[in-house]
Amino acid sequence: MSENSDKAINLYKNGQFKEAIDVFSSILEHEEDNAEIYNNMGLCYAKLGEFEQAEKSYTKSIKLDRSIAQSYINLSDLYYKNGDLSGAIGVLERGSYELTDNYVIAHLLARVYIEDARYDMAICELEKILDAQPENYDAYYDMGRIQFELGNYEDAVANFENVIEYKENNEFLYYYLAQAYEANNEIDRAISNYLKATAINTKFAMPYKKLGVLFLARGDYVDSIEFFEDYIKLDVPDVEKENVKLLIERINKKL
């Protein structure tokens, strides 16, 4: 049946989802307990927007074989995309229970916990991941975002710094690190990291505005004007540009 399976997978890759379902269904006539086929059919139904059929296929796959991580991931993704965070969490919690060493499921669970504002539970999952994978910078990044949301800015900084150890050239990371330093009232370090964000991506608008505001607060009017002027040259709303232009005019009167 591997030939038919390959055929169905190629149909799926070519966007021929109904045809792929037909071939997968023919395989199930001879292999009715094939959990992988049910998972693959679920993918096809999901692509066609047939939620109930996709749900049934993924659920059947899990029932037949509790060790297929992708079935939990796909079913949770189906719920997540339909706005059912509780459903997604329930599936991932079961997957995490059945597959205790699967850190992809654990990390997805942590991220849905974060989106559902279950920060303590997310932290538990992330700590479990980092105990096993101490160089998992994605987990440090998510931990940093949680600590920032909780107002634990020193911890947020520490986690973002850990990420930079493994992944340096990311403007968003430097931006979030700068925000954490700013919130922790470490303004020089905040400025340094906002500058790094602009150096990596000269079209990333928000660090320019942040730099304009911080230099203005310090009374460094020339530098403040420079960054505000750079900011309004970028892709920002027209109303925002007009407001910043008025601010620049007011700063110029101070010089």
Side-chain angles (χ1 to χ4, degrees), residues 133-156:
Q133 300 174 340
E135 296 186 0
N136 188 323
Y137 61 78
D138 285 330
Y140 281 118
Y141 171 82
D142 288 328
M143 188 74 84
R145 295 301 293 162
I146 293 172
Q147 298 299 348
F148 185 88
E149 291 297 327
L150 293 174
N152 301 327
Y153 302 121
E154 288 187 12
D155 290 337

Side-chain angles (χ1 to χ4, degrees), residues 8 28 39 62 69 72 76 87 99 103 116 133-134 137 144 150 186 189 200-201 210-211 230 239 241-242 246:
L28 289 173
N39 178 61
I62 292 169
Y72 298 102
S76 69
L99 304 169
Y103 298 109
D116 205 35
Q133 300 174 340
Y137 61 78
L150 293 174
E186 297 180 67
R189 289 183 173 180
I200 293 169
N201 185 349
K210 285 284 191 177
L211 288 162
D230 287 339
V239 173
K241 288 184 180 181
E242 292 305 315
L246 291 174

